[in-house]
Amino acid sequence: MKRFNASLVWFRRDLRVVDHAALHFALTYSAKVYCVFIFDRAILDPLPADDRRVAFIHASVQELDSELRQLGGALIVLHGLADQVIPDLARALAVDAVLINHDYEPLAIERDARVARGLAAGCTLLSFKDQVIFEKNEVLSQAGTPFSVFTPYKNAWMKRLAQDDAASCLAPFSVAEHADALAPPLPDSSTLGVSSGLPTLAQLGFPAAGMTPLPVPTGTSGGLALLDDFMPRLAQYHLTRDFPSLNGPSCLSVHLRFGTVSIRMLARRAWDAIRAGQGGTGASTWLSELVWRDFYFMILHHEPRVATRAFKPAYDAIQWETGDAAQCAFDAWCGGRTGYPLVDAAMLQLNQTGYMHNRLRMVTACFLIKDLGIDWRRGERYFAEKLIDFDLAANNGGWQWAASSGCDAQPYFRIFNPVTQSEKFDADGKFICSYLPQLSRLDKRHIHAPWLAPAAALKQAGIELGQNYPMPIVMHDEARKRTLARYAVVKKVAKTGQDLT
């Protein structure tokens, strides 16, 4: 890479200073490096005024600026349309290059292409791998084609990791050693037309975003605190991760989403524990979850159509429930009023905190799709609106897994029973009671299916079905039969070879 007199690092889903690919290369190859974050109106304007993600980003950007100032630089923070602001800022600062880290989402790719076209002659846009370990075509089958099944992908991924020279793909990108190249904080610069001050949430149009507590601490410091809390529990991860009332998950998903922690650091922690024989099955299971993340990014890169359509085209022939009844069922699902306590508690957790336990994401998704017969895309969009850790690749992959339409998805005839899932993963009803306190006095034998409880038990617990807790909006056994009939079209399309593309 050639050297530059001045360059601009555009932070996006990489809100950290430590182990940052684009920042490393900018500092290494530039005499002067400016740093910028854009509150992009193209992304923010459609969001509700209380969107928790904006509060998380805002706090993390504030910490990022502080970290850069400690190194002698500062963060320019602007509010506008990124595809216009970045070219204008690059001209104002007279930089030779704008450096970014790859974003794999279709709309982001289009935005970056517009930015590249808008840069002045002689200014180039350079992009680097940073948010995954292996990307795009780096892990392929022996035939040289992308994998569509996870286990062989994971085996090839692990083989490449093990063969890598001292796992150099996990090596951090140094930043502090080259920090002398950081441009000092800008003055109140009317000549450049640039203000480096951080706008408030209210100024951004999100006055209510910071009014409810976030489910996780923010910034790199918050991510590292969660990691430190998780590491002593790593060896037991495989035993605890599926139980929502236990402190099993790392809760680092939002930090991976916004890059406040480095994926290389997390994978390195797991890999080191495995090689040292200290992480047990837990470390291998956790690393496997990080490999799933790479897998879904790879799928999105090769098959961007999955953002709106089924990975398996035959599944686009399914006729989903529509009309007023379907809308009422969808509203009940969104509001945690289905009459199935585990489903309702999970949806209330999502609505109240912006977080949902991973096991419960599967349970609620399967219920919407295979009990209510509602298009998976509607549920995917609702999660996209509510999840603080929303990531298109993972969210889409998870929903298509539940719908059986995705790569390496569960078979369509595998239909989660929400009651048995509840009995297995929240046996004592502790999680249920944390979000549905009106059920807390109900015998734990009946809390998973209150409509089956004896009238005396309901009366003693103070529960009036249809009053302070709903009757089930659907009976699972009947819904299962309808789902099998609905999915029969998949076999028909596959047999006739009908082209739905």
Side-chain angles (χ1 to χ4, degrees), residues 26-108:
L27 294 172
T28 303
Y29 290 94
S30 307
K32 181 185 293 186
V33 176
Y34 297 95
C35 300
V36 65
F37 177 83
I38 309 296
F39 281 101
D40 191 349
R41 291 189 56 190
I43 298 172
L44 299 186
D45 284 357
L47 301 179
D50 61 349
D51 196 290
R52 295 181 179 91
R53 289 167 293 189
V54 183
F56 183 93
I57 294 168
H58 189 269
S60 299
V61 165
Q62 189 171 25
E63 182 173 315
L64 173 61
D65 178 50
S66 176
E67 292 172 340
L68 286 168
R69 288 178 184 274
Q70 291 175 23
L71 293 174
L75 187 66
I76 300 168
V77 182
L78 301 174
H79 182 209
L81 296 172
D83 54 2
Q84 299 174 11
V85 172
I86 291 297
D88 289 346
L89 180 62
R91 290 186 184 88
L93 298 174
V95 299
D96 308 307
V98 176
L99 286 80
I100 59 175
N101 289 319
H102 296 336
D103 195 322
Y104 306 94
E105 297 186 5
L107 292 179

Side-chain angles (χ1 to χ4, degrees), residues 128-146:
F128 304 88
K129 179 179 71 172
D130 186 77
Q131 61 173 304
V132 295
I133 304 302
F134 299 122
E135 65 170 4
K136 300 180 181 178
N137 295 320
E138 290 187 324
V139 177
L140 297 173
S141 69
Q142 291 184 346
T145 58

Side-chain angles (χ1 to χ4, degrees), residues 264-468:
R264 288 175 293 276
M265 179 181 65
L266 301 190
R268 190 165 60 249
R269 290 287 192 99
W271 182 237
D272 288 348
I274 292 169
R275 291 191 300 171
Q278 298 174 347
T281 305
S284 297
T285 303
W286 191 52
L287 182 59
S288 182
E289 292 299 300
L290 300 180
V291 180
W292 268 106
R293 185 173 174 274
D294 272 17
F295 179 66
Y296 282 140
F297 274 117
M298 180 273 296
I299 293 294
L300 183 62
H301 166 73
H302 287 287
E303 300 287 352
R305 64 184 175 82
V306 300
T308 57
R309 304 187 68 180
F311 177 81
K312 300 174 183 175
Y315 284 74
D316 281 328
I318 294 173
Q319 297 297 307
W320 302 105
E321 296 292 330
T322 58
D324 293 343
Q327 184 61 49
C328 288
F330 181 71
D331 291 342
W333 178 83
C334 293
R337 303 186 307 274
T338 69
Y340 286 85
L342 187 65
V343 173
D344 292 342
M347 295 305 295
L348 291 171
Q349 180 187 44
L350 173 64
N351 293 336
Q352 294 173 21
T353 71
Y355 170 79
M356 187 189 289
H357 187 277
N358 190 59
R359 165 59 58 173
L360 302 183
R361 299 186 195 202
M362 292 188 285
V363 171
T364 55
C366 288
F367 185 85
L368 181 74
I369 297 164
K370 295 182 177 178
D371 279 80
L372 301 183
I374 292 175
D375 192 335
W376 59 268
R377 281 161 281 236
R378 297 189 67 183
E380 182 196 28
R381 286 194 294 271
Y382 190 77
F383 272 29
E385 293 170 4
K386 296 294 183 178
L387 283 171
I388 190 173
D389 64 359
F390 166 69
D391 191 301
L392 175 60
N395 192 53
N396 180 273
W399 274 94
Q400 293 223 42
W401 180 90
S404 304
S405 63
C407 50
D408 202 15
Q410 65 170 343
Y412 73 85
F413 50 81
R414 183 187 177 194
I415 301 172
F416 279 4
N417 184 319
V419 175
T420 56
Q421 288 285 310
S422 183
E423 292 170 341
K424 183 175 182 179
F425 297 111
D426 192 33
D428 61 0
K430 183 177 179 180
F431 175 80
I432 289 172
C433 292
S434 65
Y435 287 96
L436 295 168
Q438 66 268 43
L439 301 182
S440 60
R441 292 167 56 196
L442 188 61
D443 188 294
K444 299 304 182 280
R445 293 172 299 172
H446 302 119
I447 197 170
H448 310 287
W451 67 94
L452 296 178
L458 291 172
K459 183 176 181 180
Q460 184 177 9
I463 298 170
E464 295 183 54
L465 294 178
Q467 297 297 319
N468 57 359

